[in-house]
Amino acid sequence: MPFCNKCGDPVEEGDRFCHSCGAATTKVGMPATPSSPAATPPPLRQPVPTPAMAAAWPESGWEREPTLEERAEKRVRSRIELLQHLGIYIAVNAFLVVVWALSGVGYPWFLWPLAAWGMGLTIHIISYFIGSEKDTSRQRMVEKEMERIKLREQVASQDEQSPPPYGEGAGE
């Protein structure tokens, strides 16, 4: 009697599938996978890096500072995206104004999409100019918070080491 190479359970002669695990058989009574489970180990899963892992193992390279070239590439990419957004905005809204003008110059309905899309474009422009500052301001905030924590720890350690002021002893 043959056995399933996937789960090891017996497979009846003539069965096309293993009744336990459902593995298909290629020949009557033979499992689809000719190798044994011990011969082919399951694929290893790579760990998903988390901020805690990166803090625990800084040499792992999960959280590294971007190089100057990477930062410049990111900035150029965002500038190109902004210019594309601006160009499409101008082209589409110019087309809408022409359609409005050719349709009889009634109510200026083109102002609604112009204003709504303009708000989105304004947000894009603001995020472009503030985006480069965001990284540095975040870094400054982290450094300030680290200084505060160090100062608190120093004050706490000094309080533990220094004797109580005169007159505040345990016997009084």
Side-chain angles (χ1 to χ4, degrees):
M1 174 178 282
F3 294 90
C4 177
N5 285 334
K6 186 173 181 184
C7 67
D9 285 351
V11 178
E12 295 288 328
E13 296 278 340
D15 284 348
R16 295 180 182 244
F17 296 96
C18 173
H19 294 289
S20 299
C21 67
T25 58
T26 53
K27 295 181 185 175
V28 177
M30 297 301 294
T33 55
S35 62
S36 67
T40 55
L44 298 176
R45 290 182 7 163
Q46 295 295 325
V48 178
T50 63
M53 291 172 129
W57 300 300
E59 68 276 357
S60 65
W62 286 335
E63 293 279 335
R64 66 171 180 81
E65 286 292 320
T67 64
L68 182 61
E69 183 178 354
E70 290 170 339
R71 291 190 341 233
E73 178 68 32
K74 181 181 176 185
R75 185 78 172 152
V76 168
R77 192 176 332 121
S78 60
R79 181 180 299 148
I80 290 170
E81 290 170 356
L82 176 62
L83 292 174
Q84 287 173 341
H85 190 178
L86 182 62
I88 293 170
Y89 172 80
I90 291 170
V92 169
N93 283 301
F95 174 74
L96 292 178
V97 170
V98 168
V99 168
W100 168 77
L102 293 176
S103 67
V105 190
Y107 177 75
W109 53 265
F110 68 90
L111 292 175
W112 291 105
L114 187 109
W117 194 350
M119 285 188 284
L121 182 62
T122 303
I123 292 170
H124 193 163
I125 291 169
I126 291 170
S127 69
Y128 170 75
F129 286 110
I130 293 178
S132 63
E133 297 293 322
K134 182 174 68 175
D135 294 335
T136 57
S137 63
R138 182 180 187 281
Q139 184 63 31
R140 280 194 306 261
M141 291 171 66
V142 168
E143 288 171 1
K144 280 185 179 181
E145 190 62 30
M146 288 170 50
E147 288 175 15
R148 284 188 199 124
I149 291 170
K150 286 179 184 176
L151 184 63
R152 275 190 229 133
E153 289 175 353
Q154 287 175 355
V155 168
S157 66
Q158 287 175 357
D159 287 345
E160 291 173 1
Q161 293 174 356
S162 63
Y166 184 74
E168 292 184 16
E172 293 182 31

